[in-house]
């Protein structure tokens, strides 16, 4: 794996853990696609740092379990401003 990819993987992982960030948010901050962030966290990170990978997995699992709530709130907000 190239050095710049390793650096990006670690930087994205640290950002997600420190900010409880979603994949979408991390992708926006680092200027990469959601697919790249997901691949970095799911495939590349465990090879580089297993401890950090487990922390990231916990944050991403929490975000996944809460996403239906965030989606409902976003819809509620959307229609509240329409009226």
């Amino acid at each position: 794996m190239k050095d710049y990819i390793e650096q990006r993987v670690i930087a994205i992982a640290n950002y997600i853990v420190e900010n409880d960030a979603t994949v979408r948010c991390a992708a926006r901050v680092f200027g990469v696609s959601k697919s790249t962030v997901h691949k970095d966290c799911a495939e590349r990170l465990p090879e580089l740092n297993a401890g950090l990978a487990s922390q990231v997995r916990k944050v991403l699992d929490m975000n996944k379990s809460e996403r239906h709530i965030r989606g409902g709130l976003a819809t509620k907000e959307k229609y509240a401003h329409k009226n």
Side-chain angles (χ1 to χ4, degrees):
M1 190 178 328
K2 298 191 179 195
D3 287 340
Y4 75 93
I5 294 176
E6 289 181 9
Q7 292 172 357
R8 182 188 69 214
V9 169
I10 299 297
I12 289 173
N14 285 326
Y15 179 80
I16 289 172
V17 170
E18 291 169 4
N19 299 298
D20 289 332
T22 61
V23 169
R24 190 177 296 239
C25 180
R28 194 176 310 121
V29 169
F30 287 91
V32 295
S33 69
K34 294 184 303 181
S35 299
T36 299
V37 172
H38 191 269
K39 183 172 181 113
D40 284 352
C41 294
E43 295 177 16
R44 295 179 178 135
L45 184 59
E47 295 175 8
L48 298 174
N49 188 334
L52 185 57
S54 68
Q55 290 177 325
V56 169
R57 177 58 33 212
K58 286 179 187 174
V59 172
L60 295 181
D61 287 345
M62 180 190 64
N63 287 339
K64 187 174 181 180
S65 70
E66 295 175 347
R67 72 181 171 192
H68 68 284
I69 296 168
R70 283 192 301 272
L73 292 175
T75 302
K76 180 180 176 183
E77 186 72 20
K78 173 185 172 184
Y79 287 108
H81 288 328
K82 273 193 167 183
N83 296 332

